[in-house]
Every structure is written in structure tokens, then in C-alpha cells.
Amino acid sequence: MTPARDPGYRGRFAPSPTGPLHFGSLLAALGSWLFARRAGGQWLLRVEDLDPPREVAGAARGQLRTLAAFGLEHDGEVTWQHARGALYQDALDRLLASGHAFACHCSRSALAQAGGVHRHCVASAPRPDPALRFRVPPGTRIAFDDAIQGRFEQDVGEAVGDFVLRRADGLWAYQLAVVVDDGEQGITEVVRGADLLESTPRQLLLQRALGLPAPRYAHLPLVVDADGHKLSKSLAARPVDAGDPMPALRAAWQALGQDPRAIAGTASPPALLRQAITAFIPEAIPAGPVR
Ligand code: GLU
């Protein structure tokens, strides 16, 4: 686990503005905030608004208001990915120049026929709007030690193949943007939901190719409903109530495996959070799904 005090610690919370903040996002926000505040470090906020078609109007502002109502204060200005295209382009240009990236003319249907995973180009004709992909040679295995999930290994060629950096419609892919931003913002520790565990090997590959340092990773348990379904697919994906933050904050604290007695008797988010920082025990966070 991370040392208790580390003023050089830089963490972040990076929601996508696809709707109101739900309980799973609150868990990621609170978890990443607690790690950063316990270390006496920084907690940055980055709106991952890369995908206008999936974005819900007003969602980003709503999420920021909700975080404020929950007392989760960030450091510095909010970063908006939509304004950072030049940084992503620069990284893509470097990956093209070093031979790590290539233009891909495959159509979706041709790829689907080839099993859906891109291992080599199956395009029959060039297209005017090729996607840009990161080349993953066969046998590319990545392993890392996650602070919560333990050792994680992936054969990236087998699991995902050559992955997209910029889509055929010109939109930037999450994998590239997140690596560029974590690098540019000097993030030392990524604390986020375990749904992104399988993305991490791709991000480690990109960091290597771009000469960026790898942050440490801690993937928080997924929240599931009573039947074990992922929260996003169940009724439990209800937005948290910014008008009544205490019940959701208490529930998030417990979902992180923390002792409810440590925050008992607190009557406002700032009071709860103050006690939470000193009582927080990272080692108590469960790896597995929580209900
Ligand atoms: N924007 C991503 C999401 O909301 C999170 C990205 C990350 O934390 O790396 O799922």
C-alpha cells in the first residue's frame, strides 16, 4: 500500500459526463479522495468528455455540483478533455513516428467476421477516414501489482489485439487520452473502479511507448446488486442525492470495507470526511464485488 504521508502524491477522479453521479462513481470519488487526503497529496478532477454522442447535456456540471455537495473538494482547476485534443494529437504523432501506431482501414463488419479482435488488417479497400490503432505484437504480456486486486496479468494481444487510439469518426479513444492526461498531470496513483482493471495493461503499454512513468494502481471493488449484477445494469445505478449526501457517504464508506463506528455521530459531509481521513485503512478495502 501507499505510504501514509506522501506530499508528492497526485491522485485524480475522472468521471465521464454520461449522466448523474451514481453510487459506483461516488465510491471511486470517495476512495480516490481518501487515498490522496490521507497522503496529504493532491486530488485532481478531470471531466472525460471525449465522446459527445454519449454525453448528456448538463451532466458534467451536475456531477461537479454533486461532488461539492458531498464535500469532496478538489485541488486546482477542473480539467476538460474536450479541450486537450492537441496533446492527444501530439502523442499520436509520436506513436506513428515510432511505428507503435498505424492507420487501419478495416471496416467494422470485416473485423467482426475476423472475430472482432484486430490482429492484422483485413480491409479489402482503403477508406478515407481510417482509424488509428496501437500495434500489439502477439505474445505481449503485461503484469502489474494492483494495490487492492493484487497481481494482474494479461496477454494483451490475445485479449484485445491492436487497439484504437483515434476512431474512424475522429473521436479520441479513452485509452490514449487517459494515458496522456495522467502523464501530463503528473498523476502518481490511479484509484478507480475495478471495471477498468482490464484496461490497465493497455495503458501501461502506451506509457512505455510514450516514455511516461507508470503510476501505481488501486482498483476499487465493483458495486453489484443483490443478484450480483454490475451496478450499471441494475436499478441500483440510481443517482446519489446531492440534497441528502450523508446516507450515500456512509454507505460508500462501508462499501470500502471501513468501520462505520469511525464516522458515527458526524452530522455533515465535512465532519464525516475529516474523521474518515484519519480512520481510513486502505488494507481493509475488499477486492471482490460489494453489495
Ligand atoms: N472516465 C472513466 C469512467 O468514468 C474513468 C477513467 C479512469 O478513472 O481512468 O469510467
Side-chain angles (χ1 to χ4, degrees):
M1 274 301 158
T2 46
R5 294 289 303 176
D6 176 7
Y9 185 113
R10 283 171 76 82
R12 73 345 180 245
F13 176 56
S16 302
T18 50
L21 211 69
H22 58 69
F23 186 69
S25 322
L26 176 66
L27 202 68
L30 177 64
S32 57
W33 186 91
L34 282 167
F35 271 98
R37 293 297 177 235
R38 167 179 171 270
Q42 303 271 301
W43 187 67
L44 310 184
L45 200 51
R46 183 168 78 224
V47 176
E48 301 213 318
D49 54 346
L50 277 180
D51 194 346
R54 283 189 58 228
E55 205 170 306
V56 171
R61 293 284 168 200
Q63 291 178 342
L64 299 183
R65 273 196 304 274
T66 302
L67 290 170
F70 277 75
L72 297 168
E73 286 174 6
H74 60 272
D75 297 296
E77 298 282 311
V78 176
T79 304
W80 298 77
Q81 284 191 327
H82 75 255
R84 295 166 70 83
L87 286 171
Y88 310 144
Q89 185 65 54
D90 180 61
L92 177 62
D93 289 343
R94 286 166 54 206
L95 294 169
L96 284 165
S98 62
H100 284 101
F102 63 96
C104 169
H105 295 268
C106 297
S107 67
R108 199 175 285 241
S109 58
L111 258 186
Q113 276 169 28
V117 174
H118 191 286
R119 298 210 171 84
H120 53 263
C121 275
V122 292
S124 46
R127 48 191 290 173
D129 57 349
L132 281 304
R133 288 181 185 269
F134 187 83
R135 192 181 308 282
V136 182
T140 304
R141 293 190 69 84
I142 294 284
F144 69 100
D145 291 305
D146 187 89
I148 297 167
Q149 305 296 327
R151 186 114 184 125
F152 184 77
E153 277 192 50
Q154 188 182 65
D155 181 330
V156 188
E158 192 61 35
V160 290
D162 304 322
F163 58 88
V164 172
L165 302 172
R166 200 183 70 200
R167 294 169 15 177
D169 59 11
L171 294 183
W172 295 105
Y174 156 69
Q175 306 291 352
L176 178 67
V178 77
V179 163
V180 169
D181 286 341
D182 285 341
E184 197 273 331
Q185 297 186 284
I187 299 300
T188 59
E189 189 119 353
V190 171
V191 180
R192 60 186 178 191
D195 52 332
L196 292 164
L197 189 61
E198 301 205 338
S199 286
T200 307
R202 271 169 276 177
Q203 295 171 18
L204 291 165
L205 276 176
L206 276 171
Q207 287 153 8
R208 282 183 202 172
L210 289 166
L212 294 168
R216 291 181 294 266
Y217 287 94
H219 285 87
L220 300 166
L222 285 186
V223 186
V224 296
D225 66 13
D227 300 323
H229 298 127
K230 226 186 108 176
L231 192 66
S232 60
K233 297 198 180 70
S234 78
L235 283 177
R238 276 186 302 234
V240 291
D241 183 355
D244 186 19
M246 291 300 276
L249 265 181
R250 287 196 199 96
W253 174 252
Q254 285 201 56
L256 291 171
Q258 307 299 309
D259 186 349
R261 287 169 303 186
I263 54 164
T266 56
S268 68
L272 184 154
L273 292 171
R274 257 195 314 277
Q275 272 181 228
I277 296 172
T278 43
F280 179 49
I281 302 174
E283 291 77 9
I285 301 175
V290 293
R291 285 174 216 278

